[in-house]
Amino acid sequence: MGIRVAVAGASGYAGGELIRLVAGHPEFELVAATAHSQAGHRLDVVHPQLAGLDMILGETDAATLADADLVFLALPHGQSAALAAQLSPEVRVVDLGADHRLADPYAWANYYGGTHAGPWTYGLPELPGQRELIAGSTRVANTGCYAAAIILALAPLVAAGAAAPADVVVVAASGTSGAGKAAKPHLLGSEVMGDLSPYRVGTHQHVPEIKQATGATGLSLTPVLAPMPRGILATVTAVPARGVDPRAVLAEAYADAPFVHVLPEGAWPHTAATLGSNSCHLQATVDVDSRRMIVLSALDNLGKGAAGQAVQNANLMCGLPETTGLSVWGVAP
């Protein structure tokens, strides 16, 4: 018998990716998968890519999750806290939603609204000291997808005093799976294909999370919906605080990080190279005209940006090597 795992919110894109990773994990045993409107349906009908997984989606409630040692909550923002509060404190929980990411209740109110549920251990192992905190926790808040790409690009530069924290500008493109699985007119293929469209300009909910994790004090984020199913490419620029090589700072910071790859000189990240992996690819330079630092960051928003990150955190919580059951390499073409 392995570590008994349940996935709440298994009918969504992140939930389906979690099921795929858990089912192939050498130490995890999938004992429950739940949904809301899809409860009672066969898992492999809701997710055809999981053909052969003979399981019926259950109701999303504490009773259905009660037999698990480890629970992943892949629920819409604002729905995790109430369910998590009903679970035994001995059960390890990784929340893929935003409910427990922010320490500041005012930031929660401004960007999400409603009651602030309070912070859990933040689930980005590559931040200094965070692996140990995650390993000692039973409640971990997974990162947001844009947040993961941007924090990994920016945090070491601010921490080293190489980038000024007050003037960070980010333009980031994401695939449509980042918007969830619910049918929405603006996500129809005929609307998305052949188009790039900005959204939540100047108001994106990941901004306070990024500032909290990096120490940035002023950050402008322009998200762009791209005509692809999955992937994020973030362009992060900042004013150099002193004359250092940003690529060298990143390479030193991630020298022992199995999932963060600072690419060789002249190679630039692109989303297809991270598809299906739990890796983030980085490259950095200094603009010859403005002298701003530029960091490019690419990852799979359902991998390192969601489900893969959640499994990496769960591995640490369960005393396993963080790479267990996860791929460092992408799928191509």
Side-chain angles (χ1 to χ4, degrees), residues 251-267:
E252 181 179 357
Y254 297 124
D256 297 321
F259 294 117
V260 182
H261 307 282
V262 180
L263 301 182
E265 292 276 9

Side-chain angles (χ1 to χ4, degrees), residues 158-176:
V158 175
D167 183 12
V168 179
V169 177
V170 182
V171 178
S174 175
T176 55

Side-chain angles (χ1 to χ4, degrees), residues 253-309:
Y254 297 124
D256 297 321
F259 294 117
V260 182
H261 307 282
V262 180
L263 301 182
E265 292 276 9
W268 292 98
H270 53 105
T271 58
T274 66
L275 179 67
S277 78
N278 193 51
S279 289
C280 176
H281 292 181
L282 299 173
Q283 185 59 278
T285 191
V286 176
D287 189 285
V288 295
D289 182 70
S290 70
R291 306 309 298 169
R292 290 180 71 93
M293 290 181 174
I294 304 173
V295 184
L296 271 293
S297 175
L299 52 72
D300 184 337
N301 62 290
L302 295 180
K304 185 62 173 165
Q309 180 90 287

Side-chain angles (χ1 to χ4, degrees), residues 243-254:
V244 298
D245 177 1
R247 184 182 176 280
V249 173
L250 294 172
E252 181 179 357
Y254 297 124

